[in-house]
């Protein structure tokens, strides 16, 4: 966004809480942290030289490599000089008379104030890490680590008794690596998740060569897909083929790794029968990978449709339970009661631990913005506006909050997609919109309430045509006690969404009040 704003001749400053760039890849330094989108696709497309010159080493990039890439981008485009690091925004207040935002920050120099006509919230969807509400958490005398706030120094688990709480993507990635170091690992699982192997490895140079030769076309294709990744989705229902053919197709896609399995039919997230077929197939794979049938049973999700929570992409996750130093503790039947000075107390047992790794996730999609006191027209607060669930127009703007734009905000495909594709689309759309305002000498743009209401309704209606809302996921806010249950991402796909945004722009930003 900063680079793009400079490109359209605007002056911009970025406020960043961390002491370096990288966002997700700056904070999530836990062992095994890795992207679930293949590296050549999980990269910026805005600069042809950058995409040609950067060399990825692994098919799925690990956190250190992604952080190197993002630092490289920051240096290459000389971004740091306009980034204020270690600067946490605590409030953003809009002044209706001057049409200017005042952002108050705290940083090493104490409190400061930044004034700007436009305020772009690039605050992230999974950037507000949540500690679980378990009594006694602060009394633990060992090492307590959250995957989303991982220390910068290397953590060595050698010789340690380690407990991991949580088996979402973060836990599933960290568990095999911790197990390979620790003396003993206890995994505290409340709800199993579906995970598929990445089949990661060193990147195939021939494959990359092909991609680099065809980058413009591949990028363009990605922009019009459902997920923002240029996979070909089979245009057929899983129920249109015989059971044998279905099995053959699932088997064919499985070794391709990661999300490719969810592209093998076109109705897996819409048709319960098709979804059940894939879920049964993956449960069968868990049986094949886990030696102890009782453990395999505990690891099989039964409570939600597959892909209704973001499917996890792992390396050796299920096989880790075949190790002698790893135990699975089913905290659904034996709930965690408290954390003690020396470990974890469940209803039935006390587990002595040196380190507890908390992989319990985030206050997703709205958490980072709602931590700030954001006030729009008439001093109205965003917390109140979103009291019954996030409301946006296009996931890009909020009625009553003029000149504020959100990147990958609720109501846009964001977390259901390749984030880089979605982020770039929002950056381009916002920059074009700001250029449009500048060309016309306008000082203010605001989503109107009717357009926002209609978009919120459209996002809800679309989600209800799918199986997504039937899972207790963070997409719905279900992981945060008291958070309103509203399905936040737009399920219509990156391509359809982009066309819609472009159409709104072509119609002189219909739904926006511009003056
Ligand atoms: O968090 P989660 P995450 N006691 O919310 C459990 C992205 N990501 O950090 O379901 C016991 O998914 C909770 O159990 P339950 C990706 O989009 C991507 O793992 O509430 N357990 C669940 O098992 C992902 O979806 C990558 O019963 C408790 C876990 O903690 C998103 O980030 C890698 C508990 C939380 O799972 C979030 O993933 C990592 C308690 N009190 C993350 N409270 C890539 O691969 C919670 N849990 C790119």
């Amino acid at each position: 966004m900063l680079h793009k704003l400079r490109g359209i001749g605007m002056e911009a400053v970025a406020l960043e809480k961390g002491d370096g760039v990288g966002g997700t890849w700056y904070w999530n330094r836990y062992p095994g942290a890795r992207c679930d989108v293949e590296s050549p696709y999980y990269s910026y497309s805005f600069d042809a030289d950058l995409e040609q010159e950067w060399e990825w080493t692994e098919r799925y990039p690990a956190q250190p490599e992604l952080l190197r890439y993002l630092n490289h981008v920051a240096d290459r485009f000389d971004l740091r000089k306009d980034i204020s690091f270690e600067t946490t925004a605590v409030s953003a207040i809009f002044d209706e008379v001057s049409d200017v935002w005042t952002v108050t920050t705290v940083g090493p120099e104490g409190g400061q104030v930044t004034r700007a006509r436009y305020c772009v919230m690039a605050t992230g969807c999974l950037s507000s890490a949540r500690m679980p509400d378990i009594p006694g958490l602060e009394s633990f005398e060992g090492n307590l680590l959250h995957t989303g706030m991982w220390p910068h120094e290397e953590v060595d688990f050698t010789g340690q008794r380690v407990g991991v709480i949580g088996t979402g993507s973060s836990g599933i990635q960290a568990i095999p690596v911790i197990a390979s170091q620790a003396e003993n690992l206890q995994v505290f699982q409340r709800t199993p998740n579906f995970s598929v192997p990445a089949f990661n490895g060193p990147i195939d140079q021939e494959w990359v060569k092909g991609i680099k030769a065809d980058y413009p076309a591949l990028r363009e294709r990605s922009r019009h897909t459902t997920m923002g990744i240029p996979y070909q989705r089979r245009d057929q229902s899983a129920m249109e083929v015989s059971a044998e053919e279905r099995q053959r197709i699932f088997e064919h896609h499985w070794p391709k790794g990661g999300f490719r399995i969810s592209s093998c039919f076109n109705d897996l997230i819409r048709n319960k029968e098709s979804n059940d077929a894939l879920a049964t197939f993956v449960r069968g794979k868990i049986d094949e990978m886990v030696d102890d049938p009782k453990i395999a049973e505990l690891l099989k999700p039964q409570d939600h449709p597959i892909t209704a929570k973001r499917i996890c992409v792992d390396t050796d996750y299920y096989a880790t339970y075949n190790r002698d130093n790893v135990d699975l503790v089913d905290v659904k039947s034996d709930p965690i009661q408290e954390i003690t000075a020396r470990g974890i107390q469940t209803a039935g047992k006390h587990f002595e631990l040196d380190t507890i790794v908390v992989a319990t996730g985030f206050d997703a999609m709205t958490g980072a913005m709602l931590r700030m006191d954001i006030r729009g027209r008439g001093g109205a607060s965003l917390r109140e506006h979103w009291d019954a669930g996030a409301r946006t127009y296009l996931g890009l703007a909020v009625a009553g909050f003029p000149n504020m734009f959100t990147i990958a905000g609720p109501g846009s495909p964001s977390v259901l997609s390749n984030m880089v594709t979605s982020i770039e689309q929002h950056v381009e759309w916002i920059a074009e919109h700001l250029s449009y305002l500048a060309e016309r000498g306008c000082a203010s743009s605001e989503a109107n309430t009717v357009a926002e209401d209609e978009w919120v309704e459209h996002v809800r209606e679309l989600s209800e045509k799918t199986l997504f809302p039937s899972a207790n996921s963070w997409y719905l806010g279900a992981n945060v006690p008291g958070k309103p249950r509203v399905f936040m991402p737009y399920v219509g796909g990156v391509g359809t969404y982009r066309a819609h945004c472009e159409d709104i722009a072509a119609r002189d930003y219909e739904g926006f009040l511009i003056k």
Side-chain angles (χ1 to χ4, degrees):
M1 187 80 244
L2 179 55
H3 178 64
K4 189 83 192 170
L5 289 171
R6 286 181 186 169
I8 59 167
M10 292 187 85
E11 233 180 90
V13 61
L15 309 173
E16 167 58 53
K17 182 175 174 179
D19 70 1
V21 298
T24 279
W25 305 109
Y26 170 93
W27 297 102
N28 289 264
R29 295 166 188 244
Y30 60 84
R34 187 179 294 288
C35 186
D36 52 8
V37 176
E38 289 156 311
S39 46
Y41 305 139
Y42 192 84
S43 59
Y44 290 122
S45 71
F46 68 80
D47 187 277
D49 292 337
L50 169 69
E51 67 183 5
Q52 288 300 324
E53 284 163 26
W54 182 263
E55 309 270 1
W56 296 102
T57 65
E58 286 185 284
R59 180 177 170 199
Y60 289 93
Q63 176 271 332
E65 186 163 13
L66 283 160
L67 193 57
R68 268 201 307 283
Y69 172 72
L70 292 165
N71 273 289
H72 169 77
V73 173
D75 292 332
R76 189 177 179 120
F77 299 100
D78 196 17
L79 300 179
R80 287 179 212 278
K81 66 175 188 228
D82 290 323
I83 305 177
S84 186
F85 290 106
E86 294 181 85
T87 301
T88 303
V90 289
S91 70
I93 315 282
F94 184 69
D95 175 35
E96 282 174 63
V97 178
S98 58
D99 287 320
V100 162
W101 282 93
T102 299
V103 180
T104 303
T105 57
V106 288
E109 271 102 62
Q112 289 204 325
V113 153
T114 304
R115 289 199 173 80
R117 168 129 303 162
Y118 302 109
C119 190
V120 179
M121 296 297 182
T123 42
C125 294
L126 294 159
S127 48
S128 187
R130 269 199 83 241
M131 278 294 184
D133 308 319
I134 303 175
L137 204 64
E138 60 300 327
S139 66
F140 183 58
E141 287 171 4
N143 206 6
L144 181 71
L145 303 168
H146 191 296
T147 48
M149 296 181 278
W150 201 260
H152 288 204
E153 313 76 54
E154 201 180 327
V155 180
D156 184 5
F157 295 99
T158 309
Q160 292 205 5
R161 298 161 301 175
V162 182
V164 173
I165 302 176
T167 51
S169 294
S170 303
I172 282 176
Q173 288 188 330
I175 285 162
V177 186
I178 297 173
S180 70
Q181 293 175 8
E183 182 184 307
N184 179 270
L185 172 63
Q186 308 288 336
V187 177
F188 295 86
Q189 173 190 268
R190 192 163 63 184
T191 313
N193 266 295
F194 286 102
S195 189
V196 296
F199 295 104
N200 187 35
I203 203 158
D204 175 347
Q205 293 303 338
E206 281 307 301
W207 179 59
V208 176
K209 225 162 118 185
I211 288 176
K212 285 191 172 178
D214 201 23
Y215 246 145
L218 277 170
R219 300 291 200 186
E220 191 47 26
R221 205 162 86 216
S222 301
R223 293 180 188 119
H224 301 283
T225 57
T226 301
M227 277 193 74
I229 313 174
Y231 297 159
Q232 296 285 10
R233 195 170 68 177
R234 191 189 191 84
D235 199 15
Q236 188 177 35
S237 159
M239 290 299 119
E240 276 177 52
V241 298
S242 67
E244 295 71 34
E245 177 64 357
R246 207 159 43 236
Q247 187 72 8
R248 191 195 65 72
I249 291 168
F250 288 151
E251 286 289 0
H252 174 74
H253 279 76
W254 181 259
K256 292 174 185 274
F259 294 142
R260 288 170 192 269
I261 192 91
S262 53
S263 303
C264 68
F265 289 106
N266 67 7
D267 63 342
L268 294 168
I269 194 60
R270 285 184 285 113
N271 181 335
K272 178 82 170 62
E273 267 183 291
S274 300
N275 190 284
D276 285 346
L278 178 60
T280 303
F281 172 80
V282 174
R283 288 188 203 109
K285 288 289 177 195
I286 297 173
D287 278 330
E288 284 173 26
M289 290 183 280
V290 179
D291 295 344
D292 182 338
K294 282 203 205 107
I295 302 288
E297 219 39 52
L298 283 176
L299 289 167
K300 291 183 200 167
Q302 306 285 357
D303 71 321
H304 65 275
I306 187 164
T307 75
K309 292 182 177 181
R310 186 157 172 130
I311 205 163
C312 307
V313 178
D314 72 85
T315 298
D316 297 334
Y317 176 61
Y318 291 110
T320 297
Y321 293 95
N322 299 332
R323 297 177 65 109
D324 292 337
N325 67 333
V326 177
D327 298 306
L328 182 63
V329 184
D330 173 22
V331 297
K332 201 140 229 164
S333 64
D334 182 17
I336 296 176
Q337 287 188 330
E338 61 170 327
I339 302 219
T340 66
R342 298 180 50 199
I344 295 179
Q345 177 70 54
T346 65
K349 192 174 167 185
H350 186 262
F351 295 84
E352 297 260 329
L353 300 165
D354 302 304
T355 297
I356 297 175
V357 173
V358 173
T360 49
F362 302 87
D363 182 355
M365 306 198 71
T366 55
M369 281 180 71
L370 293 181
R371 277 183 183 182
M372 289 178 264
D373 184 15
I374 301 178
R375 290 181 185 268
R377 191 177 291 292
S381 92
L382 187 69
R383 287 178 192 145
E384 273 167 34
H385 189 62
W386 284 4
D387 191 40
R391 309 183 64 75
T392 69
Y393 180 37
L394 304 172
L396 273 163
V398 183
F401 296 79
N403 291 357
M404 182 181 88
F405 301 95
T406 48
I407 294 185
S412 76
S414 65
V415 289
L416 297 182
S417 70
N418 175 358
M419 285 301 286
V420 188
T421 314
S422 287
I423 287 168
E424 284 195 322
Q425 185 244 331
H426 271 189
V427 164
E428 281 159 22
W429 193 95
I430 293 168
E432 268 176 39
H433 186 50
L434 298 187
S435 297
Y436 175 97
L437 298 177
E439 280 159 21
R440 283 157 185 77
C442 298
S444 158
S445 162
E446 177 187 350
N448 78 45
T449 305
V450 174
E452 181 178 274
D453 288 349
E454 284 173 2
W455 186 252
V456 169
E457 184 53 18
H458 177 60
V459 171
R460 189 191 62 77
E461 255 176 30
L462 282 185
S463 75
E464 284 178 1
K465 290 184 182 145
T466 71
L467 301 170
F468 277 115
S470 59
N472 280 323
S473 67
W474 54 258
Y475 296 146
L476 263 174
N479 64 326
V480 179
K483 189 165 173 170
R485 285 180 73 108
V486 173
F487 193 83
M488 292 179 278
Y490 170 87
V491 303
V494 162
T496 310
Y497 173 77
R498 167 183 288 271
H500 196 84
C501 292
E502 283 173 3
D503 187 44
I504 297 289
R507 284 190 276 132
D508 282 322
Y509 296 96
E510 192 177 70
F512 286 87
L513 216 75
I514 290 174
K515 66 174 176 63

